[in-house]
Amino acid sequence: MALSFLIGVLGKEIGLPLARKLVSGLVSGQDPASRVEKITALVKNGSTAMAAFQNTFGVVDFDKALTTAIGNGAKGWTYEAGREEYVQIEQIEGSPRLPTSLLREELNLNLDRIIRTRGSKDADINNYFIGLFRQWQERYVELIGDSEDSRITFKTVESLLDGRKKSFADVFRMLQKTGLGMAGAALVIQAALIATSTGVGIMVWITTAFVGIPMVQVGALAVAGGLLFGLSRMDFASSNAKSATIAVAYKLLDRCSNTKLR
């Protein structure tokens, strides 16, 4: 009875067919009683079913079972690969949960799956990453709607992931055209540098600037060429593009949440 309840709750988030396969894969060959009891308690205390299952079985085992349940869709090299494997979390009717929260969880879940199942060194990971963001952008418009901010942001994401050679200075200029502005663009650049452990000198410069120098002066330095000169000497790699894209998506959700709360 409890297991059926959990399948039903999880089914509301990812669909019943996938929920049945996922739960069957997780509890197969073991006594599920204690884990089912733990998941049930977490759900009744307000946790989403997805989070409760991940917490109970562990993220690695959960992702393995999820990948098995979905199947490996595209074979070999495919542009925008894996869109059919995208896991969509449904908004439960009557839930007070904000669409921005759901989209953030959906993005995190699918990013984790790509990293864990495709491997960070897999040559095809860029194509799965592009496919994920194409699908996520459609979900954003479906749940939140279209806006000038989202259109400009998504166009910037397209440019970040187009594979063309560019420097960090090129990306810095691109990011400023979105709702990030000068300060937000610099923070995204900083996040990309931290995530990929490159350009430590520039990263420290940005950190010092934002801690000890007013934003107006930071903008003046950028215009004068101090920041852009340093960034122009650094190539913007594929790994940087993925890190920056994730940061840009999070910032878009943050701006949307702040706008809705006003």
Side-chain angles (χ1 to χ4, degrees):
M1 184 67 176
L3 190 58
S4 298
F5 164 75
L6 291 180
I7 292 174
V9 174
L10 184 61
K12 289 180 180 179
E13 295 182 12
I14 62 174
L16 274 175
L18 180 56
R20 291 193 184 100
K21 290 181 181 178
L22 176 57
V23 173
S24 175
L26 285 170
V27 302
S28 178
Q30 57 181 288
D31 179 10
S34 61
R35 291 183 173 181
V36 168
E37 183 178 345
K38 179 180 178 180
I39 296 170
T40 302
L42 288 170
V43 169
K44 289 183 176 179
N45 284 327
S47 171
T48 64
M50 292 281 287
F53 272 88
Q54 286 178 320
N55 180 287
T56 302
F57 286 94
V59 174
V60 174
D61 287 343
F62 179 87
D63 285 347
K64 286 180 180 177
L66 182 58
T67 299
T68 300
I70 292 173
N72 283 328
K75 303 296 183 183
W77 192 95
T78 306
Y79 184 66
E80 293 187 22
R83 290 188 68 164
E84 68 277 14
E85 299 175 25
Y86 184 92
V87 180
Q88 181 172 304
I89 303 174
E90 299 298 336
Q91 179 73 290
I92 299 175
E93 186 176 352
S95 170
R97 191 179 188 193
L98 294 174
T100 49
S101 174
L102 186 150
L103 283 166
R104 188 182 293 270
E105 182 178 349
E106 209 169 273
L107 179 59
N108 290 341
L109 173 66
N110 284 283
L111 283 171
D112 281 345
R113 286 196 63 249
I114 288 179
I115 293 169
R116 293 179 188 282
T117 62
R118 301 297 167 186
S120 59
K121 295 182 180 179
D122 190 331
D124 289 345
I125 193 171
N126 288 339
N127 304 305
Y128 281 92
F129 195 87
I130 291 171
L132 185 164
F133 266 90
R134 292 281 197 281
Q135 201 70 22
W136 187 81
Q137 288 170 17
E138 290 182 8
R139 286 286 287 158
Y140 182 97
V141 174
E142 176 187 340
L143 294 175
I144 294 179
D146 194 19
S147 68
E148 183 178 3
D149 187 11
S150 65
R151 286 194 297 272
I152 294 174
T153 298
F154 293 153
K155 185 177 180 180
T156 300
V157 167
E158 296 281 342
S159 298
L160 289 173
L161 299 174
D162 64 10
R164 296 179 182 177
K165 184 176 180 180
K166 55 181 71 72
S167 69
F168 269 87
D170 296 327
V171 174
F172 185 68
R173 295 187 187 95
M174 288 164 45
L175 293 174
Q176 289 180 69
K177 296 178 182 179
T178 70
L180 290 166
M182 177 77 72
L187 290 174
V188 169
I189 291 291
Q190 181 188 26
L193 291 170
I194 292 173
T196 52
S197 300
T198 59
V200 176
I202 298 297
M203 181 190 75
V204 173
W205 192 96
I206 294 174
T207 303
T208 303
F210 276 87
V211 171
I213 304 176
M215 290 299 172
V216 173
Q217 293 184 34
V218 173
L221 283 170
V223 172
L227 175 60
L228 292 180
F229 176 75
L231 294 178
S232 67
R233 298 168 67 85
M234 300 174 59
D235 290 334
F236 190 75
S238 173
S239 56
N240 300 133
K242 290 192 279 292
S243 299
T245 296
I246 295 168
V248 166
Y250 288 158
K251 292 293 184 182
L252 175 62
L253 291 175
D254 289 341
R255 290 197 302 278
C256 181
S257 295
N258 291 335
T259 300
K260 298 294 184 183
L261 292 174
R262 287 174 188 165

